[in-house]
Amino acid sequence: MSLRYQINIRILISSLCILMLGGSIAIWQARDAVNKEVDSSINLAVQLITFGFSQASQTPFHETDWLPKLNSLNQTRHLSIQLKEPSGQIISFAHKNQQTNNDEKPPQWFINLVAAHYPKVEHQITSFKGEQITLIIQANPLDEITEVWQESIAFFSSLFLLTLFTFLAVNLAFNKALKSIAVIVNALKVIETGHYQQKLPNFSIQEYDSIAKAINHMTGELDAGRQENRALTQHTLEIQEDERQRLSQELHDELGQSLTAIKVMAVTAGRSQAGATDIKQTTDSIVTICDHLMTVVRSMMHQLHPLVLTELGLKATMEDLLNHWSIRNPELKLTITCPDEVDFLEQKITIQIFRVVQECLTNIVRHAQAKQAAINLEIEHQGKTGAALRLQVTDDGQGCAIDKIKTGFGLLGMRERINSLGGEFTIETQPHQGMSIIATIPLP
């Protein structure tokens, strides 16, 4: 259901409620007004008649003379006044303002709602001849009800025009807003297809302009993230190809040449009639080459995947890694804090933690110019919410302003590794105060 349709429906329902309430109030007021008008007319008629007959002795008159005059009064237009003579004859005069036009007569249902039961009033009076005459007064409020009906029609017509005007005013007021919504929806449909360069224009309405700015900021972040992911993917593929090329070169240079040398020595030793001394030299050379091959193979296996991580666990692997870096960089003092519980973590977590620490040490040696670096790995228990693995790598290097960090592929790779585990990756650094890399990973 569209917003315009909802607004129009609610205005219509509100107008109907107002119409029903206003109609009920109008009918109640009309009924009250007719009753008051009829009661006032009856009281006036009785007072006039009483006063007229009290003066009969001074100024004799016949009833056929004053009855038309009484009926001609506008205040008695709601009454039917008749005289009943002792003979039973009824003297009646039609009111000059009596309603005779049926086209202006209100509908019967309105008359039934407004009109009340008005009893016939009879009053005995004595004429100037001494005869007893019965005065009959019957309320006839049809003309007053007709006036109320006309007033009600005017009221309901005004309400209808007001409702129509409200419809037009609301639709005009919301037309611009609904056009802005259409622009936003169409832009979102374009963004949904992956066109993050799509930008929303500025809007004169503050709320829509805030939404547009938020969407533009979101699309900018999505586009930047996609560009980073593409660059990281391309870099990963390049590293993979470089690794394959290096492994191929090492296999060719080391394994190929060594195996060829072993084969030549073995063939030569088998064909020659050399003495024991020559055979001993040949076998020693073969052993030396085999030892070199084993060293090369172990180095390649360690680079591809550290077997000690699978065999001895994360703690021993981390200690072996720090020992390896300490031998290669004696000027850098490395320390590690690692509990035994980390050896029971899932393999997908341990390998990512190992690679992150490995990348951190590479960055410290290449860029930080640090003298000390500390690795702190701990498991934080968070009550009912579970536990989390927290890794913090801190150095006392040159550091830099947080807004000037160059997001290289090393940092992107570490962030992606932590994010792939549902964790959080943060960097804390200040100029000449070192850098601290913190990773928090929720544990199942």
Side-chain angles (χ1 to χ4, degrees), residues 187-203:
L188 289 176
K189 290 180 179 179
V190 175
I191 294 172
E192 185 181 3
T193 61
H195 294 82
Y196 298 138
Q197 294 81 10
Q198 176 73 26
K199 299 297 181 182
L200 288 171
N202 295 327
F203 295 97

Side-chain angles (χ1 to χ4, degrees), residues 270-281:
R271 292 180 179 178
S272 66
Q273 299 296 325
T277 302
D278 294 333
I279 295 176
K280 180 68 168 58
Q281 292 178 352

Side-chain angles (χ1 to χ4, degrees), residues 221-367:
E221 293 295 325
L222 290 174
D223 187 56
R226 183 173 63 177
Q227 296 296 334
E228 290 180 355
N229 289 335
R230 286 178 177 176
L232 184 60
T233 302
Q234 184 65 30
H235 181 67
T236 303
L237 294 175
E238 292 176 358
I239 291 177
Q240 186 179 23
E241 292 300 325
D242 292 342
E243 188 72 16
R244 288 177 178 178
Q245 183 178 1
R246 186 180 63 81
L247 291 175
S248 176
Q249 189 67 34
E250 288 187 6
L251 289 174
H252 176 270
D253 294 342
E254 299 292 340
L255 293 182
Q257 293 180 7
S258 298
L259 291 175
T260 302
I262 291 174
K263 181 178 180 180
V264 171
M265 290 179 184
V267 172
T268 303
R271 292 180 179 178
S272 66
Q273 299 296 325
T277 302
D278 294 333
I279 295 176
K280 180 68 168 58
Q281 292 178 352
T282 302
T283 55
D284 291 341
S285 298
I286 292 175
V287 170
T288 302
I289 294 173
C290 289
D291 291 338
H292 175 70
L293 287 177
M294 293 177 63
T295 303
V296 171
V297 171
R298 287 177 180 176
S299 177
M300 294 172 62
M301 293 173 62
H302 182 77
Q303 293 176 10
L304 292 174
H305 181 79
L307 294 178
V308 66
L309 183 62
T310 305
E311 296 175 354
L312 301 179
L314 180 59
K315 183 176 181 180
T317 305
M318 298 281 284
E319 293 174 348
D320 181 69
L321 178 65
L322 261 67
N323 182 53
H324 175 72
W325 279 93
S326 297
I327 294 174
R328 294 173 55 185
N329 303 275
E331 73 282 357
L332 178 62
K333 182 181 178 181
L334 297 173
T335 59
I336 183 172
T337 302
C338 183
D340 296 334
E341 289 82 359
V342 297
D343 291 335
F344 301 98
L345 298 175
E346 295 182 3
Q347 185 177 5
K348 65 177 182 179
I349 297 178
T350 58
I351 187 61
Q352 300 297 350
I353 291 295
F354 174 78
R355 295 303 184 190
V356 169
V357 173
Q358 195 176 41
E359 185 64 33
C360 287
L361 293 176
T362 301
N363 290 339
I364 291 173
V365 172
R366 288 182 180 178
H367 309 292

